[in-house]
Amino acid sequence: RHDTGTGPFSIRAAAGVIQIMSRPVLAKIKLMISAGAAKPAPPVGPALGQHGLNIMEFCKAFNAKTADLIPDAPIPVVITAYKDKSFEWEMKSPPVTYFVKKAAGVGGGGQRPGHEVKGTVSLKHVYHIAKVKEQDAGGLLSLKQLCRGVIATAKSAGIRVVR
């Protein structure tokens, strides 16, 4: 009998019959954590603790993987918890609003988007942000659609896009 228990699927071969069995998923946990700042305190501790997962193992792995990123950049994380108390996690790139505000050099968005302009970004910035977010889209959206989304996000944050 052969068993490979890696990943979300395990393959068992017994007496020439191959079965693909998925590990039972307990929960999918979505968190926004600052790069290099995962701690057992809220929101990480309670979210993982309620499913019986090893909090410190996740914190150490996350902090090690995000050590070379800009400190305090918000990183979306999806943690898949399995019934056997194991877990897998995947991190995505920071939200578009983070990139747009960084490119415009502002701390926060406008109080009245559409009426008040808090800053400006160029189309070159929009293109580069869309290229970064293209990795998260998984090929589902074209670069043109992603650029339109970045422009819409900038507009809703009170940031003007200029040529």
Side-chain angles (χ1 to χ4, degrees), residues 37-49 55-60 63:
K39 305 179 270 233
V44 179
L48 273 64
I55 300 165
M56 284 311 298
E57 179 184 338
F58 169 77
C59 289
K60 287 178 183 176
N63 290 339

Side-chain angles (χ1 to χ4, degrees), residues 26 51-54 82-87:
L26 180 64
H51 299 293
L53 303 179
N54 187 337
Y82 298 104
K83 291 198 181 213
D84 64 355
K85 305 298 180 200
S86 64
F87 64 90

Side-chain angles (χ1 to χ4, degrees), residues 5-153:
T6 59
F9 297 99
S10 64
I11 301 172
R12 291 190 177 158
V17 177
I18 297 178
Q19 292 179 311
I20 297 179
M21 301 167 45
S22 65
R23 294 193 304 189
V25 174
L26 180 64
K28 286 231 182 227
I29 306 162
K30 294 181 180 182
L31 298 171
M32 186 78 70
I33 308 169
S34 295
K39 305 179 270 233
V44 179
L48 273 64
Q50 73 182 357
H51 299 293
L53 303 179
N54 187 337
I55 300 165
M56 284 311 298
E57 179 184 338
F58 169 77
C59 289
K60 287 178 183 176
F62 178 83
N63 290 339
K65 195 167 183 179
T66 59
D68 59 338
L69 298 178
I70 297 170
D72 297 329
I75 307 293
V77 179
V78 179
I79 303 165
T80 306
Y82 298 104
K83 291 198 181 213
D84 64 355
K85 305 298 180 200
S86 64
F87 64 90
E88 292 176 351
W89 61 281
E90 168 190 6
M91 60 181 214
K92 300 180 185 271
S93 61
V96 172
T97 53
Y98 172 77
F99 287 123
V100 168
K101 289 176 188 176
K102 277 287 200 192
V106 297
Q111 296 297 323
R112 296 178 28 205
H115 300 283
E116 174 188 359
V117 177
K118 195 79 169 182
T120 59
V121 293
S122 68
L123 285 175
K124 184 177 180 180
H125 288 122
V126 169
Y127 175 78
H128 287 295
I129 294 168
K131 286 296 277 183
V132 170
K133 295 307 282 182
E134 191 175 34
Q135 299 164 356
D136 288 347
L140 298 175
L141 297 172
S142 69
L143 191 58
K144 184 176 180 179
Q145 291 171 315
L146 289 168
C147 286
R148 284 182 180 164
V150 172
I151 292 168
T153 301

